[in-house]
Amino acid sequence: MTMTLAELTDLTGLDVLDHLERQVTIPVVDGLQAQGDLIVIPYAFVERSVSTHEYTRWQDVPAAGIELLRSAAGGNPHSLVADPGTCRFAGGLHDPTGLALGMIDASAVAYLIHPEHGGTGIAPGRYVVRRQRERNTEPRGWFGNRMIAD
């Protein structure tokens, strides 16, 4: 089943900015995908380094969604949405990089929605959601890694 951005916003009640084409079909990806300062990684890519703890708590993702991350300026949230009973999310992962926000376990397509970026579809499977970071190699200015601010 395909979904347009208009259908996703109507279904969830979450909105996107006016510059986005609402009739576009949202792509569903089963590999790496990024949305601003988040990256969704298939668990198989990181299973040797990222794991759950005994205190990790899974929660069902409601149709209204779960806010995964709010932008650096405190504005636009990245929200995970799914049909009830088809997706779970867990925070509190062991991740040596310190970038993991949580893990997604979906039996049907789930979606990330963001006011500036629109929507992306996540194919059924298990994924780790991480913050993205960048490295400055310029000789002037700050040096090292920093989180991407969206």
Side-chain angles (χ1 to χ4, degrees):
M1 183 180 131
T2 62
M3 184 173 302
T4 66
L5 186 55
E7 292 168 331
L8 183 60
T9 58
D10 287 348
L11 184 67
T12 64
L14 300 172
D15 205 5
V16 295
L17 299 179
D18 290 337
H19 72 276
L20 295 172
E21 176 57 52
R22 295 174 192 277
Q23 296 310 312
V24 69
T25 299
I26 299 172
V28 176
V29 179
D30 65 356
L32 283 169
Q33 59 179 300
Q35 187 187 69
D37 46 2
L38 291 186
I39 188 165
V40 178
I41 305 166
Y43 182 64
F45 291 7
V46 294
E47 66 185 333
R48 291 185 180 195
S49 62
V50 177
S51 60
T52 59
H53 290 286
E54 65 274 2
Y55 58 83
T56 299
R57 299 291 177 249
W58 289 93
Q59 60 181 319
D60 288 334
V61 176
I66 294 174
E67 185 177 305
L68 300 182
L69 179 67
R70 192 165 284 272
S71 72
N76 298 320
H78 294 270
S79 297
L80 175 66
V81 298
D83 289 333
T86 65
C87 185
R88 300 181 310 153
F89 179 80
L93 304 180
H94 170 71
D95 177 15
T97 68
L99 298 173
L101 296 172
M103 189 177 294
I104 298 169
D105 192 9
S107 61
V109 176
Y111 295 92
L112 280 177
I113 186 168
H114 184 273
E116 292 176 318
H117 305 302
T120 60
I122 303 168
R126 182 168 276 191
Y127 302 86
V128 172
V129 179
R130 281 182 169 163
R131 293 282 315 265
Q132 290 200 82
R133 64 181 171 192
E134 61 186 352
R135 181 161 183 82
N136 183 27
T137 58
E138 296 296 319
R140 296 188 181 136
W142 62 272
F143 183 76
N145 296 326
R146 70 174 174 188
M147 298 294 179
I148 292 178
D150 175 29

